[in-house]
Amino acid sequence: MGKRMVSKHVCYTGCWIFVVAVILSWAQVAAEDNISQAAWFKDVSVSAGIDFKHTNRSFDNAYGSIMEGYTALGAAVAVGDYNADGFDDLFVTDSKESGKNRLYRNEGGFTFTEVGEIAGVADGNDAVNASANALWFDYNGDRRLDLLVVRFGRNLLYENQGDGTFKEVSKRAGLSHPYLNCIVAIAFDYDLDQDLDLFLGNYFQAVNLFNPSTSKFFPESFETANNGGGVTLYRNNGDGTFEDVTDAAGIRLSGWTLDLGHADVDHDGDDDFYVAADFGTDRFFLNQGDGTFVDVTEQSVGIDTKKGMNTDWGDFNNDGLFDLFVTNITDEYMREGNFLWQNNGDGTFSDVARETGTYDTGWGWAGKFLDFDNDGWLDLFTVNGWVSGGKANYVVDIFELIVQPGIDLSDATNWPPMGDKTLSGYQENVLFHNQGGMLFKNEAARHQVNSKLDGRGVGVADFDNDGRLDMYVSNANAKPFLYRNVQPTENHWVQFMLEGKGVNSAAIGARIWVTTQEQTLVSFVNGGNGFASQSTQKVHFGLGESDRLENVRIIWPSGKEQEFKNVQADQIYLAVEGEKSLSQFKSKK
Amino acid sequence: MPTHLTRIIIVGVDSFMKRLILMCLLLVGFDVAYADRAKSSFEAANKARDTGDLLQALDHYEAALNSEPNNLKYGNDYRQAVVQINQVESYERCIAFFEKLTTQHTKIPNVWMNFGYAYVDKIPVEGAITQVLLANTALGYFSKALELEDSWLGHYTRGNSYLYWPAIFGRTPLAIEDLEKAIALSEKEKKSRSFHVRPYVGLGEAHWRLDDVTKAREIWKSAAKRFPDNEDLKKRLSMDDEALTAFLTTHFEPGKRVNTDLNILWEEEQQ
């Protein structure tokens, strides 16, 4: 009887343990399932205090009815740590005549303070200038990030005074050319003299867009237009001034440039660059290492007639070579498809956009590589959409325009007014999750980053230094998004802040290889790649399950190499050129 | 006995008839000579094509077409040789050739048909906007051919061309109109051909374009009764809505090569 009771008791206890175990395991599975199904990005733009609305520019001239829609650009973001506190700040542009540009100082914990007026960088718009983009770069080697405001009109260079204020030095620096009608700027040391040179991409030709002296300033063709602004290369003289060396460097172009992107594509120690052009052929230039470039477009990527919008370089397939993502226009009426140029390592590239599933992202704008889940594979986030207006579709008007025999497209008076019409509007942004280097899967809806606003730029940075990459998305004529990354995986990561010895203090162009037990990854310090958006200058690696780096190798822009062994993951490191060890960044906030 | 007058008339008639007969004989001879010349040029073209000398083949095809411009097959094989070369210059040569032929033979429908197809053939080697212009121009020439001759091929070709235009351009109802006419014409023919299924396939696709997938399926199901072995119908009917949309979106990508080879028209006849 007693035995039976004991045995019964054991049986009951065993049953309870089993039931509890089942419940617990079910609860764990459910919790994991909830985690995996929950969105990994959260829009915190309102709580962060940065939800100001961008407004497109209106034009009070004879071409105003087409110009406002046609130039629905200028919603840009530049990420940079201007006060050198280790937290990335934001500079955001507006475009309307009375619109103020914003400088958001990062206070940590996803809070920002707007200090544009105090800093003296707010006045980027007036009757004859419209802000279009911005770039942080240390132009004078004082180890402080200066600010270039790119404008339809005349650009502005602000020198960082180191006390939270800026001083406009455009004229003194030789950058006050009127009406370059610039839309993009990147900075890298093309001539290896240890300072940052300035590459400007100009959309319109050099006319006063606000009071044009001619009506013929629109693209002459939809596929082979050569009446745009081309590119301008300003060589840094090392004394705070710049000199136009476009012709001497061999990069004179006349296309409708929308974006520029640099990387050392052939790992020969100097940075090459790609020009994404609207209405015509993109161009790819190899750096000869002697202060000149050679146009290798035809043999490297071929001649295209698409509408290049964005360039971002990254090694998406982890083969050690930088690949390139270019957005084009893909819609029901025009299916150009994006380019995902896979670097073949022999001077040629293969477009694998179709094979990898990255072909169609609508009317594409910025498309940025980032490893949002730290699994060691670069993902892609792209924003899109031209103008989301009323029910009437402007494509019908465009069609009627282009089928007119002998029509002069360069004449703005021939273009139908856009009014409130929609053109490739209401398109969902796309978050491509890299499935191991061969295929990408769109997870934008799952992670709630599939907005249908007319996105333009994507600033990628780890704004709270928690090892997860966040994103600031600028939208034309709309509020932005600040997507905080809350992904719950326990994947490891590492970040590097680089400090070069020369005037190129941020070591733009430095390449970093990190080796774990599983693989070697490569990245570089980026000088502003991507449409309407500069991402962080920190270099981020997702490491998957690896919690330690066997080796870190850095090749500085000076050509010097350094290696560091046995580096702990999940840290932000400061690497100073020539110093024997890495130092951990300690958050002050 | 015929009177003098009658004799004069008879002699006159005789003389007129002789001249008429002579003229007819000359014309027939002329035509036969042209047909012979066209045929020999066509054979020379095929020979050159088969030996891989495509540029030589183009010369001969052009000679054949100059002799017999309404010959749809000659024009078809000429264009297919151009497609095989697949160079911008060859497409432009082909378009220029048919352009000249249309100015010389404005009333010959098949010259206009081939002219339209030549534009369609060039689409894949051009940029997105030029593709629109080429497709639009081709439509104009197919319409011209239809003005000259109401035909199954004309209605099917033009209707199918309209299908490549997104619904926003308002051309899908025109596609439906043409494809329904093509179906009506095929139903009047004594002998049913396998290619007569094509307008049914297209008609369903037109309704899919108008977001009426149910109607599209009804058309394909109905057509499947007449053409039970047709793979295009089977494929479309086997897909769910999502798969069908993915398939047709790819199918109608403007830059893709459209097969304009008409040889199926003659191959089936020979069987």
Side-chain angles (χ1 to χ4, degrees):
Chain A
M1 180 78 175
K3 265 187 183 177
R4 205 181 301 154
M5 280 182 71
V6 168
S7 138
K8 207 173 182 179
H9 177 74
V10 168
C11 180
Y12 281 143
T13 307
C15 285
W16 275 112
I17 289 169
F18 176 74
V19 168
V20 169
V22 167
I23 290 170
L24 282 176
S25 68
W26 175 81
Q28 191 181 349
V29 168
E32 279 172 7
D33 201 41
N34 278 341
I35 286 169
S36 62
Q37 291 309 311
W40 290 5
F41 285 97
K42 190 178 171 189
D43 177 26
V44 295
S45 53
V46 175
S47 62
I50 61 156
D51 60 329
F52 110 92
K53 177 183 178 290
H54 170 268
T55 304
N56 289 339
R57 188 54 173 265
S58 297
F59 290 81
D60 185 20
N61 61 32
Y63 319 105
S65 64
I66 176 64
M67 283 292 282
E68 181 169 352
Y70 191 76
T71 61
L73 301 163
V77 57
V79 174
D81 181 11
Y82 82 95
N83 54 357
D85 63 355
F87 284 79
D88 275 320
D89 309 294
L90 289 162
F91 183 78
V92 178
T93 55
D94 197 357
S95 304
K96 68 180 173 188
E97 188 174 336
S98 61
K100 298 287 184 187
N101 293 333
R102 261 71 167 179
L103 174 59
Y104 293 111
R105 188 177 64 213
N106 189 341
E107 309 292 4
F110 269 95
T111 58
F112 292 80
T113 303
E114 206 287 294
V115 294
E117 295 271 16
I118 298 165
V121 294
D123 296 327
N125 297 294
D126 55 38
V128 290
N129 293 281
S131 296
N133 205 341
L135 178 77
W136 293 106
F137 75 117
D138 179 6
Y139 88 99
N140 56 1
D142 64 359
R143 320 196 94 63
R144 295 191 286 254
L145 283 180
D146 309 297
L147 178 66
L148 181 79
V149 179
V150 168
R151 305 196 296 180
F152 282 165
R154 185 175 63 83
N155 296 330
L156 295 169
L157 178 63
Y158 290 107
E159 184 181 278
N160 190 335
Q161 303 298 296
D163 59 359
T165 66
F166 291 78
K167 182 181 171 188
E168 204 230 304
V169 295
S170 324
K171 196 170 180 184
R172 193 183 78 197
L175 296 177
S176 58
H177 187 293
Y179 305 116
L180 271 185
N181 296 324
C182 188
I183 196 161
V184 56
I186 59 171
F188 65 93
D189 180 15
Y190 84 98
D191 54 355
L192 307 175
D193 64 353
Q194 307 309 306
D195 54 33
L196 289 176
D197 309 295
L198 198 53
F199 288 72
L200 303 178
N202 314 310
Y203 194 61
F204 288 93
Q205 56 188 274
V207 296
N208 177 353
L209 295 176
F210 306 91
N211 186 21
S213 56
T214 172
S215 62
K216 296 193 174 184
F217 61 99
F218 266 46
E220 63 195 354
S221 155
F222 277 98
E223 293 167 351
T224 54
N226 271 313
N227 63 336
V231 296
T232 306
L233 169 54
Y234 281 111
R235 181 180 176 274
N236 192 330
N237 294 321
D239 59 359
T241 66
F242 291 85
E243 179 188 2
D244 184 344
V245 294
T246 313
D247 289 316
I251 58 167
R252 176 65 65 192
L253 294 171
S254 54
W256 290 70
T257 306
L258 273 177
D259 201 21
L260 304 170
H262 73 101
D264 187 355
V265 172
D266 48 4
H267 285 309
D268 67 348
D270 51 46
D271 275 13
D272 315 294
F273 84 109
Y274 189 93
V275 182
D278 208 353
F279 308 114
T281 305
D282 295 353
R283 293 283 162 187
F284 178 49
F285 289 95
L286 268 187
N287 194 331
Q288 307 262 63
D290 59 359
T292 66
F293 292 88
V294 60
D295 184 344
V296 293
T297 310
E298 209 156 336
Q299 55 269 47
S300 290
V301 294
I303 301 296
D304 80 282
T305 58
K306 300 183 181 181
K307 319 286 173 289
M309 306 283 191
N310 168 81
T311 66
D312 199 27
W313 291 93
D315 180 12
F316 80 91
N317 55 359
N318 290 346
D319 66 352
L321 299 166
F322 296 120
D323 311 295
L324 174 67
F325 185 61
V326 178
T327 52
N328 292 305
I329 297 177
T330 312
D331 203 331
E332 197 183 19
Y333 59 87
M334 183 163 33
R335 300 194 62 75
E336 291 184 335
N338 298 323
F339 294 130
L340 180 54
W341 290 115
Q342 181 179 279
N343 189 338
N344 297 323
D346 59 359
T348 67
F349 292 79
S350 300
D351 177 21
V352 294
R354 277 188 189 274
E355 294 83 343
T356 53
T358 54
Y359 181 80
D360 182 358
T361 58
W363 184 305
W365 292 107
K368 293 286 183 82
F369 286 113
L370 77 160
D371 183 359
F372 74 86
D373 58 348
N374 286 333
D375 66 351
W377 295 96
L378 284 179
D379 311 300
L380 263 174
F381 181 65
T382 74
V383 295
N384 50 27
W386 182 221
V387 176
S388 299
K391 281 185 180 173
N393 197 322
Y394 188 62
V395 75
V396 178
D397 304 61
I398 291 284
F399 172 70
E400 283 171 8
L401 169 74
I402 62 176
V403 296
Q404 291 176 46
I407 188 78
D408 181 0
L409 293 172
S410 75
D411 192 336
T413 57
N414 286 331
W415 288 62
M418 195 160 180
D420 183 38
K421 291 178 181 174
T422 288
L423 181 59
S424 288
Y426 305 102
Q427 298 185 339
E428 284 194 12
N429 294 337
V430 179
L431 177 65
F432 284 123
H433 185 209
N434 191 332
Q435 307 291 296
M438 301 295 287
L439 192 68
F440 289 80
K441 184 181 163 195
N442 183 8
E443 296 182 356
R446 180 194 152 186
H447 296 307
Q448 295 180 13
V449 290
N450 58 333
S451 155
K452 288 185 179 176
L453 296 181
D454 298 329
R456 294 293 180 265
V458 181
V460 177
D462 179 4
F463 290 109
D464 54 353
N465 291 331
D466 69 348
R468 297 175 291 193
L469 289 174
D470 314 295
M471 301 186 290
Y472 177 98
V473 175
S474 61
N475 296 304
N477 249 3
K479 289 183 177 182
F481 297 110
L482 180 59
Y483 290 123
R484 182 177 190 171
N485 187 332
V486 294
Q487 60 95 356
T489 71
E490 293 179 352
N491 287 333
H492 298 283
W493 56 275
V494 69
Q495 287 177 18
F496 298 93
M497 296 191 290
L498 270 67
E499 197 176 306
K501 281 291 180 200
V503 177
N504 179 7
S505 62
I508 302 296
R511 285 162 290 155
I512 309 182
W513 288 261
V514 296
T515 302
T516 65
Q517 275 193 324
E518 282 77 37
Q519 59 185 345
T520 295
L521 306 172
V522 64
S523 189
F524 68 105
V525 185
N526 179 331
N529 295 346
F531 181 78
S533 46
Q534 177 181 21
S535 295
T536 183
Q537 292 183 345
K538 289 178 191 160
V539 179
H540 174 101
F541 293 95
L543 301 173
E545 293 178 357
S546 302
D547 61 358
R548 183 167 293 277
L549 304 172
E550 292 181 345
N551 192 63
V552 175
R553 178 180 173 226
I554 300 175
I555 299 185
W556 298 88
S558 62
K560 288 175 187 159
E561 284 193 42
Q562 280 184 273
E563 290 199 34
F564 306 93
K565 304 283 181 195
N566 198 22
V567 175
Q568 184 68 40
D570 305 322
Q571 299 289 338
I572 301 172
Y573 291 101
L574 175 66
V576 179
E577 185 174 4
E579 287 194 4
K580 287 182 180 172
S581 59
L582 299 168
S583 56
Q584 280 183 23
F585 165 72
K586 302 287 184 195
S587 173
K588 295 173 194 163
K589 294 177 178 172
Chain B
M1 287 287 283
T3 63
H4 181 68
L5 183 62
T6 313
R7 203 161 48 239
I8 288 170
I9 290 170
I10 288 172
V11 168
V13 167
D14 274 358
S15 168
F16 174 74
M17 285 301 287
K18 275 178 193 167
R19 277 204 295 268
L20 189 65
I21 289 163
L22 189 63
M23 200 180 286
C24 285
L25 284 172
L26 275 171
L27 281 173
V28 169
F30 198 63
D31 264 8
V32 168
Y34 261 77
D36 282 350
R37 197 186 304 169
K39 195 179 173 192
S40 69
S41 294
F42 181 64
E43 284 167 357
N46 288 346
K47 198 174 171 186
R49 179 198 61 199
D50 294 344
T51 57
D53 190 350
L54 290 167
L55 288 176
Q56 181 75 32
L58 297 191
D59 291 341
H60 289 305
Y61 282 128
E62 285 170 3
L65 281 160
N66 277 323
S67 300
E68 205 176 323
N70 199 33
N71 193 310
L72 192 63
K73 181 162 173 57
Y74 291 177
N76 177 73
D77 289 7
Y78 171 52
R79 286 186 302 94
Q80 295 316 306
V82 169
V83 170
Q84 211 176 326
I85 295 169
N86 199 28
Q87 297 289 327
V88 173
E89 299 75 27
S90 303
Y91 289 116
E92 282 169 359
R93 168 180 172 168
C94 182
I95 286 171
F97 172 76
F98 280 117
E99 186 172 23
K100 193 176 172 192
L101 215 56
T102 52
T103 56
Q104 292 166 342
H105 306 279
T106 54
K107 302 285 182 194
I108 296 182
N110 286 338
V111 175
W112 291 102
M113 286 298 287
N114 272 315
F115 195 16
Y117 288 129
Y119 272 83
V120 174
D121 290 337
K122 196 182 177 213
I123 285 174
V125 297
E126 289 294 352
I129 297 294
T130 306
Q131 286 172 353
V132 173
L133 296 175
L134 292 171
N136 195 56
T137 306
L139 272 169
Y141 297 147
F142 295 142
S143 295
K144 182 77 182 169
L146 272 166
E147 281 170 24
L148 296 167
E149 183 182 55
D150 196 44
S151 68
W152 175 90
L153 183 66
H155 283 295
Y156 164 67
T157 301
R158 192 173 65 177
N160 197 49
S161 300
Y162 284 137
L163 285 179
Y164 283 80
W165 295 79
I168 185 73
F169 291 104
R171 290 179 160 180
T172 315
L174 300 174
I176 291 173
E177 200 178 311
D178 264 331
L179 293 166
E180 283 178 345
K181 276 183 187 164
I183 288 169
L185 286 170
S186 73
E187 283 171 349
K188 281 181 194 165
E189 288 197 17
K190 287 175 189 168
K191 193 176 173 185
S192 180
R193 310 278 187 181
S194 70
F195 52 78
H196 285 156
V197 72
R198 292 187 179 196
Y200 290 97
V201 174
L203 189 59
E205 289 165 346
H207 287 284
W208 163 81
R209 248 216 203 289
L210 295 174
D211 294 327
D212 192 349
V213 181
T214 308
K215 177 92 176 173
R217 289 189 196 286
E218 279 173 18
I219 289 162
W220 291 329
K221 273 181 197 164
S222 163
K225 288 176 189 163
R226 188 175 163 195
F227 303 94
D229 299 325
N230 184 266
E231 292 300 325
D232 289 333
L233 291 172
K234 282 183 191 170
K235 188 168 192 172
R236 282 155 182 75
L237 285 168
S238 70
M239 293 179 190
D240 63 23
D241 287 4
E242 196 180 334
L244 181 69
T245 294
F247 170 71
L248 290 180
T249 302
T250 307
H251 179 73
F252 285 116
E253 279 203 0
K256 280 181 74 175
R257 176 162 300 288
V258 176
N259 184 2
T260 60
D261 186 354
L262 305 173
N263 269 310
I264 190 170
L265 300 175
W266 303 287
E267 281 163 6
E268 199 163 319
E269 210 152 86
Q270 284 168 358
Q271 285 168 4

